[in-house]
């Protein structure tokens, strides 16, 4: 492997045939991508279709079913054996399809959430997916980005990289592009190299990609990394546990049934098959699979609304969010900063009135102490810096020309603690430095002031005027930025002293107008019982002005500054956050305290962030939300959700989606449980009363297959409830059976079970020729009569369950109000299920296989009348609630 650390910048560039100033051309990059392949680790081999099928069938219950099929075949019940094996196969195929869909959806999410890289190609700086990096690419590094490939650094400015992902050393390493060594140097000591998957934490730099993908240093150990474990949500874990508990209960009931039937003198094989079939049908083993597919579908829907879910548990938590803490800039506002007012020491004017002759130093400082890249077509960088560059461009200045005239030789990057940035530039006859930042940080360092091209010592009167103008700007909802300069004698002064003894050049007042869609979203949050809290680095007055426009806060008592936050104890802050709606002048470090205080009050909190220092608060929050456009890789990596449009309205839509997804999952669960309870009820009471078995083993398995899959998945895809944001946030500890859901499943299950049992009894009565149920001689029933009655029970059970699926769409609204045809998936599931059952009844081959009879018109009228009873019952209950509530 090439020792890149031993080569000079020139040798490296020559070897890779690239240009540090222009980078590769797009055509060359495409050719190299074909040669070297994508910049990613080799993926672990995916399981074959046969392995996936085996995993679906590898369970104790399936083994019992196979044994039951084998016993049936031995004793001559070939049709039973075939049907049991067919059901096993169909269940496995459906499971594989569901798993494949979920995996595919999650793979798409991984691709969308993968880090981006900033490169220079064809002389233009652009952001591309890190997978597209090729050897020879010129990569730009700033704080908060993951290093996308192994780089030979060609330029560094106070660059520090945390390399624990590779070396295990958590202390950040200072990098120096000029350093080189011919010796075999350990990775941690190679100061002129940056390695893939490590993290830039301070400063900036430029490097040329020398190794990508599996050829990188971390690629060597990629094969040793274990497979990523599938993440289960809390709900999936609860359901897994519930399935086991219900399974034990179901097996217990089936054993009781078997022994009751055995002592009643029923054929042991028949009772064994019925008991096993009922156990398999009663255990909701499909619950977790259904939840997974519903989650995957819901997550795909959220992508269309510009929210990428990185961690599935966040979908559940979203429905419980009671406080949304949001950054102001770009999230609540348009992120289109524009300088509208300027104060240059003696005059407070509009930005258009600036004179490049007399105010030239102010404009040059604003453009040079600046890392933004701005062209007529596109721009990249901090919105504040972009606004300053555009201000200079409006007055005829060009950033590229200025940077050639005043080349940058040193810099002190922006720091959220200092709230300042300083750059030092070489010029004809010496050096000069420019500083820009928050007024409260810059003003104490000011000793001189420039007015009309002349410099003088600053007076208290000057300072008072500066502060008065800053207040006036804040009252106008303008963000205030101070600009200063300093004449530097030489490179020996390239240290912290650059930010002392400064000369005041002026104030820039800029505004980022609120997004039009945010105010209605905040109003929607209020109706949903969700508080909105604005967090910003802006001045209190600026923040409050925007908050008033958006309806977040109205009074200054609802605001709190970072300084006040520092002075408050944890107990005081815990009390204060109950009423504060705007946190102004705060640093990312303050966010952790704000989140902790809110959580201690019992609020479920969502927090937004975009910077390196936001990572702790994003992890601390119940739902961490990173900005997809302005967010750093660190913020995205620490988040649960990434917004691809950095828009507050998207957070609200995500909460709405989270609530709807959870409700849809709940519908699927309650549907499955009530159907399973219906099957248990019909068989248990039928056997207990000494009746012939209301259903055969294959009928139980078949009806369970139909009702367990299509309608359950269709309910998971139910259209969003428009009233879901009128409800209060859900308690995250709340059981799925809370608020009467358990009783609902039990009552409906028993109703379906007794309807099925009644249909069976009516079939026995009618086809035995008896006048009433009490005159039926159960001991002398013919096989044909029992078969006919079982057919009626079989079809009634399946249709009652299909009809019942419509009940689950809303526990409050009538079916007609929800819209009978608004869920086309459920309608399709109903029609397919009904068509299949009719096919069984009217096809002689299936008659023999399933042991069923052709039904008459009168039978169908009776069955449909009975099957629709769950709908009638639930509609009456809903109507009663509406009348008496």
């Amino acid at each position: 492997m090439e020792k890149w650390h031993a080569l000079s910048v020139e040798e490296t560039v020559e070897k890779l045939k690239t240009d540090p100033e222009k980078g590769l051309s797009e055509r060359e990059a495409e050719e190299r991508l074909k040669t070297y392949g994508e910049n990613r680790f080799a993926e672990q081999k995916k399981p074959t279709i046969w392995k996936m099928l085996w995993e679906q069938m590898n369970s104790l219950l399936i083994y019992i079913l196979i044994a039951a099929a084998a016993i049936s075949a031995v004793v001559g019940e070939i049709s039973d054996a075939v049907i049991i094996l067919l059901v096993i196969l169909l269940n496995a195929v459906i499971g594989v399809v569901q798993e494949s869909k979920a995996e595919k959806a999650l793979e798409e999410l991984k691709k969308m959430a993968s880090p981006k890289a900033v490169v220079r190609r064809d002389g233009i700086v652009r952001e591309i997916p890190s997978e597209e990096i090729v050897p020879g690419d010129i990569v730009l590094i700033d704080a908060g980005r993951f290093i996308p490939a192994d780089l030979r650094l060609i330029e560094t400015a106070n660059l520090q990289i945390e390399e624990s992902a590779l070396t295990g050393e958590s202390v950040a390493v200072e990098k120096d592009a000029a350093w080189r060594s011919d010796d075999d140097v350990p990775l941690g000591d190679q100061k002129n190299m940056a390695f893939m998957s490590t993290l830039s934490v301070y400063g900036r730099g430029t490097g040329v990609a020398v190794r990508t993908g599996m050829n990188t240093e971390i690629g060597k150990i990629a094969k040793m990394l274990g497979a990523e474990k599938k993440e289960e949500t809390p709900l999936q874990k609860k359901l897994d546990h519930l399935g086991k508990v219900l399974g034990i209960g179901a097996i217990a009931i089936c054993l009781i049934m078997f022994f009751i039937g055995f002592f009643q003198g029923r054929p042991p094989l028949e009772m064994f098959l019925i008991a096993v079939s009922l156990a398999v049908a009663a255990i909701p083993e499909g619950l977790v699979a259904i939840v997974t597919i519903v989650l995957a579908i819901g997550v795909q829907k959220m992508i269309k609304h510009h929210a990428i879910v990185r961690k599935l548990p966040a979908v559940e938590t979203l429905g419980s969010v009671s406080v949304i803490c949001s950054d102001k800039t770009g999230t609540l506002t348009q992120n289109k900063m524009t300088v509208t007012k300027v104060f240059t020491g003696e005059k407070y004017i509009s930005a258009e009135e600036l004179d490049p002759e007399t105010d030239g130093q102010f404009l040059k400082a604003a453009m040079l102490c600046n890392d933004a890249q701005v062209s007529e077509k596109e721009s990249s960088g901090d919105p504040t810096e972009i606004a300053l560059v555009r201000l200079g461009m409006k007055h005829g200045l060009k950033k590229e020309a200025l940077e050639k005239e005043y080349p940058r030789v040193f810099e002190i990057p922006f720091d959220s603690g200092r709230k300042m940035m300083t750059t030092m530039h070489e010029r004809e006859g010496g050096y000069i430095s420019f500083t820009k930042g928050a007024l409260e940080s810059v003003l104490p360092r000011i000793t001189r002031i420039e007015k009309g091209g002349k410099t003088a010592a600053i007076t208290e009167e000057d300072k008072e005027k500066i502060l008065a103008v800053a207040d006036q700007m804040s009252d106008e909802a303008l963000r205030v930025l101070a600009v200063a300069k300093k004449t530097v004698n030489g490179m020996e002064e390239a240290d912290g002293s650059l930010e002392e003894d400064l000369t005041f050049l002026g104030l820039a007042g800029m505004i980022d107008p609120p997004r039009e869609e945010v105010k209605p979203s905040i109003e929607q949050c209020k109706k949903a019982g969700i508080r909105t809290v604005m967090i910003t680095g802006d001045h209190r007055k600026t923040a409050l002005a925007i908050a008033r426009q958006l309806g977040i806060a109205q009074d200054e008592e609802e605001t709190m500054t970072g300084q006040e936050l520092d002075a408050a104890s944890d107990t005081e802050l815990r009390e204060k956050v109950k009423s504060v709606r705007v946190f102004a002048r705060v640093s990312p470090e303050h966010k952790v305290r704000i989140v902790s205080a809110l959580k201690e009050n019992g609020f479920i909190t969502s927090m937004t962030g975009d910077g390196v220092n936001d990572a702790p608060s994003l992890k601390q929050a119940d739902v961490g939300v990173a900005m997809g456009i302005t967010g750093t890789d660190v913020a995205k990596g620490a988040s649960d959700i990434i917004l691809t449009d950095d828009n507050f309205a998207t957070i609200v839509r995500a909460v709405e989606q989270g609530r709807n997804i959870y409700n849809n999952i709940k519908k699927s669960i309650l549907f499955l449980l009530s159907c399973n309870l219906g099957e248990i009820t019909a068989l248990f009471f039928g056997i207990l009363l000494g009746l012939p078995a209301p259903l055969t083993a294959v009928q139980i398995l078949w009806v369970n297959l139909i009702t367990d899959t299509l309608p359950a998945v269709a309910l998971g895809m139910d259209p969003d409830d428009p009233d879901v944001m009128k409800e209060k946030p859900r308690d995250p500890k709340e059981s799925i059976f809370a608020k009467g859901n358990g009783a609902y499943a039990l009552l409906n299950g028993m109703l379906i079970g007794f309807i099925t049992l009644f249909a069976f009894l009516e079939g026995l009565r009618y086809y035995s020729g008896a006048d009433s149920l009490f005159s039926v001689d159960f001991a002398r029933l013919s096989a044909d009569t029992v078969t006919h009655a079982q057919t009626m029970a079989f079809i009634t059970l399946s249709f009652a369950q299909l009809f019942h699926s419509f009940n689950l769409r809303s526990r409050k609204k009538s079916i007609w109000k929800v819209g009978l045809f608004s869920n086309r998936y459920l309608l399709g599931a109903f029609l397919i299920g009904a068509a299949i059952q009719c096919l069984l009844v009217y096809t002689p081959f299936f008659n023999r296989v399933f042991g069923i009879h052709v039904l008459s018109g009168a039978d169908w009228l009776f069955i449909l009348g009975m099957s629709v009873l769950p709908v009638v019952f639930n509609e009456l209950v809903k109507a009663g609630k509406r009348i008496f509530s």
Side-chain angles (χ1 to χ4, degrees):
M1 192 177 279
E2 187 76 54
K3 293 182 181 178
W4 294 104
H5 68 273
L7 301 181
S8 67
V9 172
E10 293 75 18
E11 289 170 335
T12 304
V13 169
E14 177 64 30
K15 210 169 198 39
L16 291 166
K17 294 182 175 57
T18 189
D19 183 344
E21 296 300 319
K22 293 184 178 179
L24 298 173
S25 67
E26 280 297 332
R27 176 182 258 181
E28 179 62 26
E30 286 175 14
E31 289 299 318
R32 294 192 185 193
L33 191 62
K34 291 175 185 174
T35 304
Y36 295 101
E38 287 193 334
N39 177 36
R40 64 167 81 220
F41 297 147
E43 294 185 357
Q44 290 194 337
K45 194 175 179 181
K46 291 183 179 178
T48 63
I49 191 77
W50 302 112
K51 188 176 180 184
M52 291 171 76
L53 277 169
W54 165 248
E55 286 173 356
Q56 290 291 328
M57 297 172 72
N58 186 21
S59 77
L60 179 61
L61 286 170
I62 298 297
Y63 294 152
I64 293 171
L65 267 182
I66 292 170
I71 293 168
S72 298
V74 168
V75 297
E77 298 290 341
I78 303 299
S79 60
D80 282 10
V82 170
I83 288 293
I84 292 170
L85 291 174
L86 182 63
V87 167
I88 292 170
L89 186 60
L90 277 172
N91 263 317
V93 169
I94 289 167
V96 168
V97 170
Q98 287 177 340
E99 189 179 325
S100 298
K101 280 186 179 178
E103 285 296 321
K104 191 176 179 182
L106 295 175
E107 280 299 318
E108 289 299 315
L109 290 182
K110 283 182 184 177
K111 286 179 187 176
M112 293 188 73
S114 65
K116 300 282 194 294
V118 178
V119 299
R120 190 179 287 131
R121 285 186 181 172
D122 288 320
I124 299 169
V125 174
R126 60 186 58 180
E127 193 174 50
I128 64 170
S130 58
E131 289 87 355
E132 294 178 14
I133 296 285
V134 294
D137 258 325
I138 303 301
V139 180
L140 279 62
I141 308 164
D142 53 15
R145 284 199 183 269
F146 283 107
I147 306 300
D150 283 0
L151 310 177
R152 168 60 167 95
L153 297 169
I154 56 179
E155 182 191 336
T156 51
N158 302 316
L159 181 63
Q160 293 181 20
I161 295 178
E162 195 255 287
E163 298 181 333
S164 60
L166 184 64
T167 65
E169 180 57 56
S170 58
V171 178
V173 179
E174 288 191 19
K175 295 295 181 177
D176 181 6
W179 179 93
R180 58 182 289 199
S181 173
D182 292 329
D183 300 328
D184 285 329
V185 180
L187 296 180
D189 295 332
Q190 293 180 15
K191 294 184 180 180
N192 60 0
M193 295 291 293
F195 301 102
M196 186 180 189
S197 295
T198 59
L199 174 65
S200 167
V201 294
Y202 192 79
R204 64 179 184 83
T206 307
V208 56
V210 294
R211 291 186 289 259
T212 59
M214 295 301 286
N215 294 321
T216 60
E217 291 294 340
I218 204 161
K220 293 178 186 177
I221 58 172
K223 291 176 185 176
M224 294 185 285
L225 298 175
E228 190 177 329
K229 290 183 180 178
K230 287 183 184 176
E231 184 178 32
E232 279 196 337
T233 73
L235 179 61
Q236 286 172 319
K237 290 174 184 173
K238 284 180 188 173
L239 291 178
D240 203 23
H241 176 70
L242 173 67
K244 289 173 184 174
V245 171
L246 290 177
I248 293 167
I251 290 170
I253 290 172
C254 294
L255 285 172
I256 292 168
M257 278 178 54
F258 176 79
F259 285 114
I260 289 172
F262 181 77
F263 288 117
Q264 286 176 344
R266 298 172 188 263
L269 177 63
E270 180 192 337
M271 286 311 302
F272 171 73
L273 289 176
I274 289 173
V276 169
S277 302
L278 189 58
V280 174
I283 297 168
E285 56 187 353
L287 270 183
V288 176
I290 294 287
V291 170
T292 303
I293 196 71
V294 171
L295 275 173
I297 291 165
V299 163
Q300 285 291 338
K301 197 187 290 184
M302 289 176 78
I303 292 171
K304 294 175 185 175
H305 292 289
H306 308 289
I308 299 172
V309 178
R310 294 186 64 253
K311 299 170 185 174
L312 276 181
V315 178
E316 289 171 38
T317 313
L318 275 170
S320 305
V321 166
S322 53
V323 175
I324 298 176
C325 296
S326 174
D327 280 328
K328 178 181 77 69
T329 305
T331 310
L332 297 172
T333 58
Q334 295 178 19
N335 203 15
K336 292 179 181 177
M337 275 286 183
T338 306
V339 180
T340 56
K341 293 290 181 70
V342 176
F343 175 66
T344 56
E346 54 185 351
K347 53 187 179 181
Y348 182 42
I349 55 176
S350 70
E352 285 75 20
E353 295 177 82
L354 276 172
D355 184 352
E357 292 296 323
T358 57
D359 304 316
Q361 283 283 331
F362 172 80
L363 289 168
K364 287 177 182 178
M367 294 187 83
L368 288 167
C369 186
N370 196 312
D371 286 330
Q373 301 286 331
V374 182
S375 67
E376 295 299 329
K377 293 182 179 179
E378 57 184 348
S379 57
S380 63
D382 181 80
T384 302
E385 295 194 326
I386 291 171
L388 292 171
V389 173
R390 283 184 174 148
L391 174 68
M393 289 170 69
K394 281 181 184 176
H395 291 282
L397 298 178
K398 292 185 177 178
K399 193 168 190 282
E400 285 185 13
L402 280 176
E403 286 174 338
K404 286 180 181 177
E405 187 181 348
Y406 297 88
R408 189 186 293 190
V409 292
F410 182 74
E411 66 182 87
I412 304 175
F414 176 83
D415 182 279
S416 58
R418 290 168 37 255
K419 292 188 173 72
M420 289 189 302
M421 172 185 179
T422 297
T423 57
M424 179 175 164
H425 303 264
E426 189 176 356
R427 63 172 177 173
E428 195 175 332
Y431 297 89
I432 189 170
S433 71
F434 298 113
T435 299
K436 76 171 192 306
L439 181 60
E440 68 264 30
S441 299
V442 176
L443 192 58
R445 302 162 188 265
I446 299 287
T447 57
R448 302 174 71 77
I449 187 169
E450 188 172 281
K451 297 179 181 178
K454 295 180 181 179
T455 304
I458 196 166
T459 64
E460 285 303 315
E461 188 181 342
D462 288 326
K463 288 186 177 181
E464 285 174 12
K465 189 172 182 181
I466 291 169
L467 289 169
V469 170
D471 281 343
Q472 188 178 341
M473 286 180 167
S474 295
D475 289 341
E476 295 174 32
L478 299 177
R479 183 175 182 181
V480 183
L481 208 64
V483 181
K485 70 172 184 177
K486 180 178 181 178
T487 302
V488 184
N489 295 319
M491 284 299 295
E492 64 275 5
E493 293 185 37
D495 55 27
S497 66
L498 285 177
E499 295 180 336
E500 302 296 336
D501 194 27
L502 302 176
T503 299
F504 180 81
L505 292 176
L507 298 177
M510 55 189 79
I511 190 167
D512 182 11
R515 290 178 182 260
E516 291 178 8
E517 67 273 26
V518 167
K519 191 172 183 179
S521 295
I522 289 169
E523 188 59 37
Q524 190 181 20
C525 282
K526 287 179 182 176
K527 291 177 182 176
I530 301 170
R531 282 174 49 191
T532 304
V533 175
M534 177 197 287
I535 297 178
T536 178
D538 279 350
H539 194 276
R540 189 203 296 261
K541 289 184 178 179
T542 308
L544 183 57
I546 296 289
R548 279 175 177 155
Q549 288 182 46
L550 294 172
I552 294 174
Q554 296 300 324
D555 200 283
E556 199 167 305
E557 290 181 2
E558 295 176 283
T559 67
M560 188 176 192
T561 65
Q563 197 172 5
E564 292 167 348
L565 203 147
D566 285 330
S569 67
D570 288 343
T571 306
E572 290 169 336
L573 181 61
R574 193 161 58 242
E575 201 57 38
K576 194 76 177 169
V577 294
K578 292 178 182 178
S579 58
V580 172
R581 298 290 184 273
V582 177
F583 289 93
R585 270 346 215 175
V586 298
S587 64
E589 287 79 3
H590 289 133
K591 287 186 175 183
V592 177
R593 285 195 71 198
I594 294 168
V595 173
S596 297
L598 286 166
K599 288 177 76 173
E600 283 169 16
N601 280 312
F603 294 109
I604 305 300
T605 309
S606 166
M607 173 64 78
T608 65
D610 58 7
V612 179
N613 291 340
D614 287 329
S617 63
L618 291 174
K619 285 185 176 177
Q620 177 80 359
D622 296 291
V623 180
V625 181
M627 303 297 106
I629 299 171
T630 59
T632 60
D633 290 338
V634 181
K636 291 173 187 175
S639 68
D640 303 296
I641 292 174
I642 299 172
L643 305 183
T644 57
D645 61 354
D646 292 10
N647 190 342
F648 177 83
T650 301
I651 303 173
V652 180
R653 280 198 296 268
V655 171
E656 185 178 359
Q657 284 290 316
R659 288 187 176 191
N660 277 307
I661 290 168
Y662 185 84
N663 285 348
N664 285 352
I665 288 171
K666 192 162 65 176
K667 292 172 190 176
S668 296
I669 292 167
L670 294 177
F671 171 71
L672 288 170
L673 291 179
S674 53
C675 288
N676 289 352
L677 282 166
E679 293 159 23
I680 291 173
T681 301
L683 267 159
F684 183 77
F685 283 98
I687 300 296
L688 194 65
L689 292 171
L691 301 172
L695 298 160
T696 66
V698 291
Q699 289 169 357
I700 296 165
L701 291 174
W702 184 260
V703 78
N704 199 69
L705 176 69
I706 297 301
T707 57
D708 250 12
T709 50
L710 296 178
V713 173
L715 281 169
M717 298 166 74
D718 212 25
D720 295 344
D721 181 359
D723 297 328
V724 76
M725 291 298 276
K726 292 178 183 176
E727 301 167 6
K728 298 297 179 190
R730 176 180 57 83
D731 184 344
K733 295 177 184 175
E734 182 181 284
S735 165
I736 199 85
F737 300 115
K739 296 180 179 177
N741 286 328
Y744 176 85
L746 183 64
L747 284 172
N748 276 286
M750 293 185 74
L751 176 62
I752 291 169
F754 286 128
I755 286 170
T756 303
L757 191 58
F758 183 72
F760 177 66
L761 288 167
E762 177 59 20
L764 293 177
R765 183 203 68 78
Y766 184 79
Y767 285 101
S768 66
D771 295 328
S772 70
L773 281 174
F774 300 104
S775 60
V776 177
D777 186 353
F778 294 112
R780 296 188 177 183
L781 292 170
S782 68
D784 194 58
T785 298
V786 173
T787 301
H788 218 129
Q790 285 176 336
T791 305
M792 290 184 70
F794 176 45
I795 302 301
T796 300
L797 175 64
S798 57
F799 270 76
Q801 291 179 350
L802 289 170
F803 275 113
H804 176 53
S805 64
F806 289 97
N807 291 326
L808 273 301
R809 295 199 59 200
S810 177
R811 294 277 304 278
K812 296 176 183 176
K813 299 175 190 172
S814 165
I815 298 179
W816 313 110
K817 189 173 182 182
V818 174
L820 193 61
F821 306 108
S822 55
N823 185 341
R824 64 180 187 275
Y825 299 108
L826 186 59
L827 192 64
F830 179 90
L831 293 173
I832 290 169
I836 289 172
Q837 294 305 91
C838 290
L839 186 69
L840 298 185
V841 172
Y842 290 109
T843 306
F845 171 74
F846 289 124
N847 284 178
R848 292 192 299 274
V849 170
F850 284 89
I852 55 179
H853 246 294
V854 173
L855 297 173
S856 67
D859 291 337
W860 276 111
L861 284 174
F862 176 80
I863 287 168
L864 291 173
M866 295 301 294
S867 300
V868 84
L869 282 178
V871 175
V872 174
F873 172 75
N874 280 274
E875 286 298 301
L876 288 172
V877 171
K878 290 177 196 176
K881 284 181 179 178
R882 288 194 296 272
I883 292 167
F884 295 109
S885 61

